[in-house]
Amino acid sequence: MDSFIRVREMQAGEEAQASEALFTAFYERGVMTIWANPDPIKRAEALRKVLSTRLVEASDASGGWVEVAITNSLRSEEATEKGSLLGGFGFAGAAVWQFKRLVDAAHSGAPGPPPSAPLFRPEVLALLDCVNATSPPLPYVYLALLGVPESGRGIGSALLKAGLASAATRYPGLRVALWTDSEVNVAFYEKF
């Protein structure tokens, strides 16, 4: 376990590091990511585009935000080589939170690919439509993405706790939702 985990809101200029942490978390381990794009090259391209879009959407004026986890990772030499360090500490994960307003009725569901780029197969888009149909009533806050490259170190828990606290402060009394691509994750989220 890391001796230091600091969670804070992503700052301007940190999008690349947050995106890389999410990419590392989802590229090989994301069930939906692999199913949506089995081809490794296409998967990498689509995932980078989707992550970039999600980070922009959450950090613009839409009411969303991004939490990042910074740690003094035991793998700091590896992180240095990849250029993912900030002041000697590495980005260990990120969580993207979005706010769905009453006026967002046309786009009230789970995150999908940007409408301008057909990044996924038709069956993936059909699945996303089914997920959208199960959305809670507007307005709500939802955890669009939470990714940590290495599980079991408390980083996901720290990100989730900080995000839920931020949601309660930003939107008191508002419901919080999430979508997950794995039943294994449900037990993790139920603890919170």
Side-chain angles (χ1 to χ4, degrees):
M1 179 106 168
D2 290 310
S3 59
F4 174 84
I5 300 172
R6 178 176 175 228
V7 177
R8 61 169 172 73
E9 192 167 340
M10 182 180 73
Q11 299 169 3
E14 294 179 338
E15 295 82 4
Q17 293 99 325
S19 182
E20 191 59 31
L22 290 168
F23 179 85
T24 303
F26 288 107
Y27 179 73
E28 289 293 338
R29 294 185 301 146
V31 174
M32 179 70 170
T33 306
I34 294 169
W35 178 72
N37 276 304
D39 178 275
I41 294 170
K42 290 179 181 177
R43 178 170 63 243
E45 177 185 322
L47 184 57
R48 289 198 188 281
K49 286 180 183 177
V50 167
L51 292 175
S52 174
T53 300
R54 291 291 162 243
L55 288 170
V56 168
E57 285 176 353
S59 58
D60 68 9
S62 69
W65 70 99
V66 178
E67 303 272 352
V68 295
I70 311 295
T71 98
N72 61 338
S73 175
L74 299 175
R75 298 178 177 224
S76 59
E77 284 182 27
E78 179 183 331
T80 301
E81 290 173 13
K82 292 181 178 178
S84 61
L85 288 185
L86 174 70
F89 292 87
F91 275 71
V96 178
W97 295 83
Q98 294 185 300
F99 173 57
K100 290 297 188 178
R101 309 175 196 296
L102 287 171
V103 296
D104 290 342
H107 305 292
S108 63
S116 62
L119 300 174
F120 299 109
R121 303 183 321 239
E123 55 269 37
V124 175
L125 297 175
L127 174 64
L128 291 172
D129 286 343
C130 289
V131 170
N132 289 341
T134 66
S135 297
L138 295 170
Y140 62 92
V141 174
Y142 77 97
L143 176 58
L145 296 167
L146 187 149
V148 295
E150 295 181 72
S151 58
R153 295 171 50 201
I155 298 165
S157 294
L159 279 165
L160 190 54
K161 286 177 188 176
L164 289 170
S166 291
T169 300
R170 292 168 189 255
Y171 303 105
L174 201 60
R175 71 182 52 88
V176 177
L178 72 102
W179 288 264
T180 180
D181 64 0
S182 171
E183 277 198 49
V184 173
N185 292 342
V186 173
F188 168 75
Y189 289 116
E190 283 179 336
K191 292 188 285 188
F192 300 91

